[in-house]
Amino acid sequence: MKTLMRHGLAVCLALTTMCTSLLLVYSSLGGQKERPPQQQQQQQQQQQAPATGSAQQAAESSPQPRPGAPAGPRPLDGYLGVADHKPLKMHCGDCALVTSSGHLLRSQQGPQIDQTECVIRMNDAPTRGYGRDVGNRTSLRVIAHSSIQRILRNRHDLLNVSQGTVFIFWGPSSYMRRDGKGQVYNNLQLLSQVLPRLKAFMITRHKMLQFDELFKQETGKDRKISNTWLSTGWFTMTIALELCDRINVYGMVPPDFCRDPNHPSVPYHYYEPFGPDECTMYLSHERGRKGSHHRFITEKRVFKNWARTFNIHFFQPDWKPESLAISHPEGKPVF
């Protein structure tokens, strides 16, 4: 009897132990299921932390992607292709802006000019026969409406498409109209059909107004009220500021050059040796009041001021503006 009681007691203890163990296991499982999502997320993050750190270290140690090729020249506002009406895209590090001045005769600056990345010329200034003094290359030619007929007469020399020269034409808005009534624009359209490879651009009416406004800002003079007709030199220098990082100007005299009674006499154009004297032309236009005139000397004062801040340098004759206590505002003219 005692033996049976001991066996029964042992069985009860065993069952009690098993039940207790099952309850503990169930409680642990139930508690894990009822754990808040935030605690589960924290636990997962703790478990993943070593792997994430390893991935980050691998990413930092891996070589970075090489930057892509530099973008091409940005489109320049206000210069539209005559044939396709697309904006001009052009940029140059170094530019040689070659004037038409007689100061370039016997200068032997041609080789130096031709070594420059971009060579800029004006109107119908030729290179054939003058290469030793003015160079032979042309990257950009800025042409006034009044010079187009001379350009056409010498088209075999001046409209040489083999060099990839860019041509920018400017003129009054009435001449550049695109509704069939613009005489200059119509001629340019025909020219583009005859020479389809010609890179011809025109300055838009809005851009022309901006050139006028820039003249007023720099001189305090309204172009129309003062009977001023901006010169091709004004357009060319301003365009060069948009295109070039550095500008070397050949043949431009300082603004007070012609006031010196001992100044040398040179022709207004190097290719017209028996033409008018340069200073005579400058002074007559500067002093003219009846009709419209170029203000060559006023424009050169502006260029002199720009050269105090911008990367502009003058050669043949060689000169540089004196420093002033108050410098020109930094930043190129904004159009």
Side-chain angles (χ1 to χ4, degrees):
M1 184 69 179
K2 291 181 179 180
T3 302
L4 291 174
M5 290 179 63
R6 284 197 295 268
H7 282 292
L9 182 61
V11 171
C12 289
L13 290 173
L15 290 173
T16 302
T17 303
M18 290 176 62
C19 291
T20 303
S21 300
L22 289 173
L23 287 172
L24 290 173
V25 172
Y26 178 79
S27 298
S28 63
L29 291 174
Q32 188 173 7
K33 289 181 180 179
E34 295 175 0
R35 183 175 298 172
Q38 293 180 353
Q39 294 182 5
Q40 294 182 15
Q41 185 176 3
Q42 291 177 358
Q43 183 178 6
Q44 292 176 358
Q45 290 177 352
Q46 291 174 358
Q47 293 175 354
Q48 294 176 358
T52 304
S54 301
Q56 184 175 359
Q57 291 177 359
E60 291 177 352
S61 61
S62 61
Q64 298 297 318
R66 297 178 63 183
R74 63 179 178 83
L76 297 175
D77 180 51
Y79 309 101
L80 291 183
V82 173
D84 56 12
H85 296 169
K86 292 183 179 180
L88 173 65
K89 293 183 179 181
M90 187 175 183
H91 176 264
C92 303
D94 294 330
C95 291
L97 195 164
V98 185
T99 70
S100 302
S101 171
H103 284 279
L104 292 171
L105 290 172
R106 296 176 294 278
S107 67
Q108 298 186 5
Q109 294 282 1
Q112 183 67 28
I113 291 171
D114 280 340
Q115 290 177 6
T116 313
E117 178 184 355
C118 294
V119 181
I120 304 174
R121 304 186 191 275
M122 291 180 275
N123 292 323
D124 57 323
T127 57
R128 176 175 292 186
Y130 301 94
R132 179 182 298 179
D133 295 330
V134 303
N136 295 290
R137 294 178 50 243
T138 305
S139 309
L140 170 67
R141 188 179 288 270
V142 182
I143 302 171
H145 63 98
S146 56
S147 297
I148 289 183
Q149 294 303 319
R150 294 192 297 273
I151 291 286
L152 294 177
R153 284 197 299 267
N154 299 289
R155 60 186 178 276
H156 297 295
D157 292 335
L158 301 179
L159 298 179
N160 186 354
V161 297
S162 63
Q163 292 188 13
T165 304
V166 172
F167 299 87
I168 297 180
F169 295 86
W170 70 271
S173 58
S174 59
Y175 286 13
M176 311 301 283
R177 294 174 58 169
R178 290 182 283 169
D179 58 358
K181 298 180 180 180
Q183 179 181 359
V184 172
Y185 179 76
N186 293 341
N187 289 335
L188 294 178
Q189 281 282 320
L190 293 174
L191 187 62
S192 295
Q193 294 175 10
V194 176
L195 299 172
R197 294 171 54 198
L198 187 70
K199 298 179 180 179
F201 293 81
M202 56 174 285
I203 301 179
T204 64
R205 179 179 181 275
H206 179 67
K207 189 72 171 182
M208 291 292 292
L209 294 176
Q210 290 179 333
F211 279 114
D212 288 352
E213 183 61 26
L214 179 63
F215 181 81
K216 184 176 181 179
Q217 291 176 0
E218 296 292 335
T219 65
K221 299 178 181 179
D222 184 275
R223 185 190 67 79
K224 293 183 178 180
I225 295 176
S226 62
N227 293 325
T228 297
W229 191 257
L230 299 177
S231 73
T232 302
W234 174 265
F235 291 101
T236 305
M237 179 67 84
T238 312
I239 292 171
L241 278 176
E242 292 189 77
L243 298 180
C244 312
D245 297 331
R246 175 190 170 100
I247 306 171
N248 292 335
V249 185
Y250 292 86
M252 183 177 292
V253 299
D256 295 329
F257 178 86
C258 294
R259 301 188 187 279
D260 183 350
N262 297 320
H263 69 264
S265 177
V266 299
Y268 177 56
H269 289 151
Y270 66 79
Y271 50 92
E272 295 176 341
F274 301 105
D277 174 77
E278 182 178 74
C279 279
T280 300
M281 181 71 74
Y282 286 175
L283 292 173
S284 64
H285 274 267
E286 191 71 21
R287 296 167 179 169
R289 293 295 176 264
K290 293 183 179 180
S292 295
H293 298 270
H294 294 307
R295 309 300 177 184
F296 294 112
I297 296 176
T298 298
E299 291 180 359
K300 285 172 174 53
R301 289 196 186 101
V302 175
F303 301 157
K304 178 181 177 179
N305 287 336
W306 287 350
R308 291 191 174 102
T309 300
F310 310 136
N311 203 358
I312 303 174
H313 308 271
F314 301 96
F315 303 95
Q316 203 62 36
D318 297 3
W319 62 278
K320 61 181 180 179
E322 66 280 3
S323 300
L324 294 179
I326 301 177
S327 61
H328 195 77
E330 293 185 1
K332 291 184 178 181
V334 178
F335 295 94

